[in-house]
Amino acid sequence: MSPNPRSNAVLALLVAGVLTATGAWAKSSDRNQPMDITSGAQDGNFGDNATTKMWGGVEIKQGTLEIEADQGEIYSKDGQISRAVFTGKQAHMKQINDDGTPIDAVADRIDYDVLNDVVTLTGNYKVTSPKGSNAGQKMVYNTKTGNMQSGGDGTRVHTVIQPKTKAPGATVGSPTPAQPAKPGAK
């Protein structure tokens, strides 16, 4: 399919919709930034009920958001973007949240159901932030509610939760000072 300004604009809007919906994972100002999409090739149709495929190294940059995947597919239903899927060994997404913390996600497949605001990471996924990490074979994340479901399918899930920032002057791992004995105590 030859490049066409209308197709590129629709694709940019689609990807923006995908990324905007990852509310808890997204810096809100990124939505207002230009989107830069490159791939080796793309083929498709931006009609009311259509699919556009990209392959050959898909790279998307918008503000702090970066996505890299071997392939991408964008689906539309009734003229609106309904789903976006990024695949690879591994598809990679990173972004800075509104609070300034980075988030990094990798999976063999990143599938965003735009209509239901649900992101599904499958195939050796790992989501990492300064607060911790979660890894396994499948995670379903509702971007509206923040609810996350992982495991339950016979595979193991590994979660690491980092401790809160230590209090000023406190030393991690230092013993608590001994309290003086009370008079009359044995």
Side-chain angles (χ1 to χ4, degrees):
M1 175 169 118
S2 63
N4 133 6
R6 181 174 181 266
S7 294
N8 290 338
V10 171
L11 180 60
L13 288 174
L14 165 88
V15 176
V18 167
L19 305 174
T20 298
T22 59
W25 286 4
K27 187 166 188 169
S28 56
S29 63
D30 284 350
R31 295 171 229 172
N32 300 319
Q33 300 298 316
M35 182 175 291
D36 184 13
I37 304 167
T38 59
S39 64
Q42 69 177 6
D43 184 20
N45 174 329
F46 291 102
D48 286 347
N49 296 295
T51 302
T52 298
K53 296 181 179 185
M54 301 167 285
W55 65 93
V58 178
E59 296 178 2
I60 299 169
K61 294 181 182 179
Q62 183 183 31
T64 68
L65 173 74
E66 295 180 20
I67 295 176
E68 294 178 2
D70 293 339
Q71 298 179 5
E73 296 179 19
I74 307 300
Y75 301 86
S76 62
K77 182 176 181 178
D78 299 326
Q80 294 186 1
I81 302 307
S82 60
R83 184 172 167 213
V85 178
F86 300 99
T87 58
K89 282 286 182 188
Q90 290 201 291
H92 184 221
M93 182 174 104
K94 65 181 179 177
Q95 189 165 31
I96 304 295
N97 292 329
D98 280 333
D99 67 2
T101 60
I103 190 156
D104 194 19
V106 295
D108 291 343
R109 180 181 179 95
I110 300 171
D111 188 335
Y112 178 55
D113 177 347
V114 178
L115 299 177
N116 295 304
D117 295 308
V118 173
V119 176
T120 303
L121 304 174
T122 53
N124 300 311
Y125 81 84
K126 184 171 186 178
V127 178
T128 307
S129 78
K131 295 179 181 180
S133 64
N134 183 274
Q137 290 304 308
K138 182 177 182 180
M139 171 196 277
V140 178
Y141 179 74
N142 185 307
T143 64
K144 279 189 175 180
T145 67
N147 187 52
M148 174 192 73
Q149 298 170 331
S150 349
D153 58 357
T155 63
R156 305 285 293 167
V157 177
H158 183 218
T159 301
V160 175
I161 301 171
Q162 296 295 329
K164 288 187 176 184
T165 306
K166 63 182 181 179
T171 305
V172 175
S174 63
T176 304
Q179 299 295 319
K182 293 183 181 178
K186 294 184 178 182

